[in-house]
Amino acid sequence: MKKLALTLLLSFIYVISTYGAQITVDNNINAPNGVFTTLVSAVNVASPGDTILIKGSPTAYADTYVYKKLHFIGDGYLPNKENPHPTTINYLYLNNTLAGNASGSTVEGIKTFGAITLNNDLNTPLDSITVRRCQTNITFSGIGNAIFQNLVFYNNWELSLSGNSTYIFNNIILSNNLLGIISLVDNPLSSFLISNNLITNTSPNNNPDNCVYSNNIWYYTLANLSADYNSYYNNISISGNTGQTVFNTTGTNSGAFNQENVDPLFESETNQTIELQDDLNLSANSPGKNAGSDGTDIGIYGGAYPWPEGGASGSGYMYSQEADIPQVNQMQLQNAIVPQNGTLNVNVIGITNH
């Protein structure tokens, strides 16, 4: 994390300006004048391409339905700052219906009590959705052979996905996430690229077909993935059961360079349960060190979207995420007493969040 001066504000404005108009939502009791206090009202007045900044709060924002391209940026699911309230939404629905199409939307720095639901009630695709740095479940809903394509999910904590067997998923990218259950019994026309994730649970009877798994770590998960036409390359698994097999490379499946029942040797993890206090960097003698198909580490610190740490090892904030924009996280008064017409000196400290 890099310390910034007051130029932080200019950088912040520049980043947001690339996403159309900026709308702020704040449901805190001390919210300033001129902001929206409900997410629903902000979404209703926003134009396609606008950015909605959602302030962290002890009160969750209500269910919100989106029918246009919007960019949602929250304060994170566990922000490392003074007054560290997460941005929490109950359910966020991104829709493609007769009422409108949310294709092209992005969601970042959000925690959900329920899920982010991608809903498609038409014969045209719900397309180009990105979800990153969130703590959420993803659910898919729609009619018949609803099409979901060009979806990207990365740097998410405790991400799970579920959907119907009739849906078609084209070019779905899951990268550098802490993954829970992937329960997608998909249409044979689907395609997934699943790379550099830490997979902590699988549903052995509901795994998608037509996947390329590369550079992932399966960590004490259910074994024997039951899926077809999958490829497994440069993955590591550890289950604690010598007889279990995760990487089924027989029949219609294929693969190579996988390591079964091998400890990935994290820097710090002791109870076989991934927690925020752990350090999931690979140790120097890890079998996954620089062993990915691209020459980087296997797991969340390698690949296209290396995990951005939110705090020091063991602090509990190492895997906290805030949005990938500069943010102020501390303000310190330098002179507590100011004479009339004097100057109040304030030291503003922020982070880049890259």
Side-chain angles (χ1 to χ4, degrees), residues 38-178:
T38 71
L39 182 57
V40 172
S41 60
V43 167
N44 288 341
V45 303
S47 298
D50 285 354
T51 295
I52 299 181
L53 301 176
I54 313 169
K55 295 297 295 179
S57 168
T59 304
Y61 294 88
D63 294 0
T64 303
Y65 294 79
V66 182
Y67 300 94
K68 51 195 162 187
K69 174 184 175 181
L70 293 174
H71 305 285
F72 297 91
I73 299 178
D75 278 352
Y77 56 81
L78 183 63
N80 183 8
K81 60 175 66 176
E82 295 176 335
N83 301 316
H85 295 303
T87 296
T88 306
I89 304 173
N90 193 25
Y91 279 87
L92 181 65
Y93 296 86
L94 304 179
N95 300 283
N96 180 26
T97 70
L98 292 175
N101 190 344
S103 290
S105 295
T106 62
V107 184
E108 180 177 356
I110 299 295
K111 178 180 180 179
T112 61
F113 280 143
I116 297 173
T117 296
L118 306 184
N119 176 62
N120 188 1
D121 290 341
L122 302 179
N123 292 324
T124 56
L126 182 60
D127 193 358
S128 300
I129 302 291
T130 298
V131 177
R132 64 176 185 165
R133 300 191 179 205
C134 293
Q135 183 178 12
T136 186
N137 300 314
I138 303 294
T139 59
F140 296 91
S141 66
I143 58 171
N145 297 122
I147 301 173
F148 303 89
Q149 67 183 27
N150 302 319
L151 310 181
V152 182
F153 307 97
Y154 68 94
N155 294 154
N156 297 292
W157 184 260
E158 296 181 343
L159 181 71
S160 295
L161 298 93
S162 61
N164 194 295
S165 61
T166 63
Y167 302 155
I168 299 174
F169 300 96
N170 293 328
N171 191 32
I172 311 301
I173 297 175
L174 294 163
S175 187
N176 299 80
N177 304 286
L178 178 70

Side-chain angles (χ1 to χ4, degrees), residues 21 27 54 63 103 163 184 203 228:
N27 69 356
I54 313 169
D63 294 0
S103 290
L184 296 170
S203 181
D228 296 312

